[in-house]
Amino acid sequence: MADLSFRALKPGDAPDLAPLIAENAQALKRGAPRRPDEVFSERLLEDKSIEIIGAFQGETLVGFAAFFDIPDLISGLRIGQLDDIYVVQDHRHTGIGRTLVEEISRIGKERDWLHVRWLVPNKNKVDNSLFENLAEPDDKDSFIVPIDRLALA
């Protein structure tokens, strides 16, 4: 990990991010691998509502973490919401994931966040040791409201 660096990704990083997004989706959903979508990656990196940090081994993007800076209605403060984290298979268990979480925590400290909320799939079929070691369960559950169910009601 000697040559590891982290930085916010920009639209020019879309060609490097697209394959990692596809790998992440395939790892979580299984089935046929997704095709890397550079247009989607570029749009994501241009979106002001989300921030993505990249982990680089030399010049190679080997992981990313996507998060939001959002208000907490209960405390009146701001929090970070870690939405997704991914490290390529060959670089797992080397501390990259942990360091990505530490980078987001550092950003949160600079921004005076109350905490970082980490959304983790409850039926995660991939290795879950990272969030089990770094995070604690919240007192809330996460649910998905299907838009089409409400639109038809």
Side-chain angles (χ1 to χ4, degrees):
M1 244 180 38
D3 200 17
L4 193 64
S5 62
F6 299 88
R7 67 170 171 80
L9 297 182
K10 299 176 279 226
D13 295 309
D16 296 326
L17 180 61
L20 273 66
I21 289 174
E23 288 172 22
N24 185 40
Q26 206 280 327
L28 292 173
K29 299 290 185 182
R30 303 293 180 196
R34 280 187 42 191
R35 185 175 49 96
D37 187 339
E38 288 183 28
V39 173
F40 171 72
S41 295
E42 187 171 354
R43 281 190 192 148
L44 194 60
L45 293 170
E46 290 172 342
D47 191 324
K48 301 296 182 209
S49 67
I50 188 169
E51 297 178 64
I52 303 176
I53 293 176
F56 291 85
Q57 187 79 53
E59 298 296 315
T60 304
L61 182 64
V62 296
F64 71 86
F67 66 98
F68 303 92
D69 182 322
I70 61 174
D72 178 56
L73 298 178
I74 305 302
S75 68
L77 301 173
R78 297 196 70 82
I79 65 171
Q81 181 168 298
L82 176 52
D83 191 59
D84 219 337
I85 188 168
Y86 180 74
V87 176
V88 297
Q89 186 69 37
D90 293 345
H91 290 83
R92 292 188 186 155
H93 304 289
T94 63
I96 294 172
R98 173 180 287 274
T99 308
L100 281 164
V101 174
E102 290 170 354
E103 283 291 308
I104 292 171
S105 295
R106 183 189 57 72
I107 290 168
K109 185 173 176 113
E110 290 174 0
R111 296 180 185 181
D112 291 325
W113 289 347
L114 179 63
H115 61 259
V116 175
R117 177 187 301 144
W118 193 351
L119 299 179
V120 178
N122 62 354
K123 294 178 182 171
N124 197 348
K125 294 183 176 41
V126 297
D127 184 9
N128 60 6
S129 61
L130 179 65
F131 51 82
E132 287 179 344
N133 288 323
L134 293 179
E136 55 193 53
D138 192 4
D139 62 350
K140 298 177 180 127
D141 290 324
S142 178
F143 294 90
I144 295 175
V145 177
I147 298 299
D148 56 350
R149 181 186 300 173
L150 291 180
L152 296 175

